[in-house]
Amino acid sequence: MTLVPLPAFADNYIWMLQDGRNAIVVDPGDAQPVFDALERGNLQLAAILVTHHHADHTGGVAALHEATGAPVFGPARERIPEPYARLAHGDHAEVLGLRFEVIDVPGHTAGHIAYFLPADPRNAAAGDLVPLIFCGDTLFSGGCGRLFEGTPAQMLASLDALAALPGNTRVCCTHEYTLANLRFARAVEPGNADLAQYMMQCEALRARGEPTLPSQLSTERLINPFLRSREATVSRAVHAHAGLSAQAAETEVFAALRQWKNDFR
Ligand code: ZN
Ligand code: FE
């Protein structure tokens, strides 16, 4: 199988997993890039996976479903174009001989889910692409989604759940926000050598017009401030920036870090 990010809009990626005959797409905010890729590869659409209800992730769902009949999987606690199979934590989506585990990751939206494909004999068809996660707008490379509907505590718990996945997990995020995120990460942790090195790699990729994604979870743990809010370097920087008291709870530190990013230019 191969894994390809199809660019959409200004900075979205619609992830496509395909085996040469059939394809799965994730978060098709626009149908056209998917129709084009299906035609180019002479592929049939086997399933549409959706992580959350935002239009830039669901705008192409109805047209793709109508044209191909491909089943749609989506979050049980959100409304996306009907019909779709409603999934929540612990459920599985079985498509093309693959078994996706559903993880609840509220925070960006209230019912946001992620699809994890573990390295398991049952997923042998995916070859060396596993483990991988389609995490929507929850985790970005170097950053995380904005808190539109959830609380900081929910987002922190969701990111903790993602951070606990195997280090070699390919992180398939839905936006190319990496360089902007890394500029912020550098302001938070100017002394982080892994971050400096990763930033150079990503700048080189973007200079060649290539995606910085998928990222690797082990890298995110080293460079992403939102997975590192309990690290002394990050926590100290947030305390100083936001003027938090020494007793601030970890949720307050995380909330202040997210607010710092919202205000960062
Ligand atoms: Zn979103
Ligand atoms: Fe989005």
Side-chain angles (χ1 to χ4, degrees):
M1 286 197 181
T2 58
L3 175 68
V4 198
L6 307 175
F9 309 118
D11 51 33
N12 282 66
Y13 292 125
I14 300 166
W15 288 95
M16 176 180 267
L17 252 182
Q18 58 104 341
D19 64 7
R21 295 174 154 222
N22 296 291
I24 300 168
V25 290
V26 186
D27 287 350
D30 187 4
Q32 199 54 51
V34 178
F35 283 128
D36 294 345
L38 293 173
E39 195 179 304
R40 264 196 319 271
N42 195 19
L43 301 165
Q44 301 268 46
L45 192 58
I48 300 166
L49 309 184
V50 174
T51 62
H52 69 292
H53 69 84
H54 285 158
D56 65 312
H57 301 246
T58 57
V61 169
L64 289 166
H65 174 71
E66 274 157 33
T68 67
V72 182
F73 297 85
R77 294 183 185 84
E78 297 192 352
R79 301 210 42 190
I80 68 164
E82 301 279 354
Y84 65 102
R86 296 174 144 73
L87 302 175
H89 202 84
D91 288 341
H92 293 90
E94 307 218 8
V95 202
L96 288 190
L98 303 174
R99 194 163 186 272
F100 292 90
E101 293 178 3
V102 175
I103 305 176
D104 280 345
V105 286
H108 176 68
T109 60
H112 199 304
I113 59 173
Y115 297 86
F116 178 57
L117 200 56
D120 182 298
R122 279 181 293 203
N123 295 323
D128 61 4
L129 292 176
V130 289
L132 74 80
I133 186 142
F134 295 117
C135 54
D137 286 354
T138 299
L139 176 61
F140 296 125
S141 185
C144 75
R146 280 176 187 264
L147 302 181
F148 286 122
E149 299 172 7
T151 63
Q154 283 179 316
M155 187 55 129
L156 181 57
S158 295
L159 293 175
D160 285 343
L162 297 179
L165 296 173
N168 62 341
T169 301
R170 278 167 216 261
V171 183
C172 302
C173 323
T174 318
H175 290 272
E176 182 61 69
Y177 289 160
T178 310
L179 292 185
N181 286 339
L182 296 181
R183 279 192 289 279
F184 173 70
R186 191 174 55 183
V188 177
E189 279 191 291
N192 184 332
D194 296 307
L195 173 59
Q197 199 200 340
Y198 181 64
M199 204 163 174
M200 277 173 39
Q201 274 176 38
C202 291
E203 280 168 349
L205 286 167
R206 296 308 292 150
R208 296 199 297 269
E210 290 174 32
T212 59
L213 302 168
S215 177
Q216 181 147 314
L217 190 62
S218 56
T219 303
E220 295 303 317
R221 290 189 198 126
L222 293 173
I223 62 94
N224 189 325
F226 294 94
L227 299 187
R228 297 170 58 76
S229 60
R230 298 177 189 92
E231 294 287 327
T233 47
V234 175
S235 175
R236 234 184 283 125
V238 174
H239 273 86
H241 176 83
L244 297 182
S245 81
Q247 292 80 34
E250 60 186 31
T251 318
E252 292 172 68
V253 174
F254 181 81
L257 176 65
R258 184 58 253 185
Q259 189 57 47
W260 184 2
K261 172 69 166 68
N262 292 350
D263 301 336
F264 186 78
R265 291 290 172 270

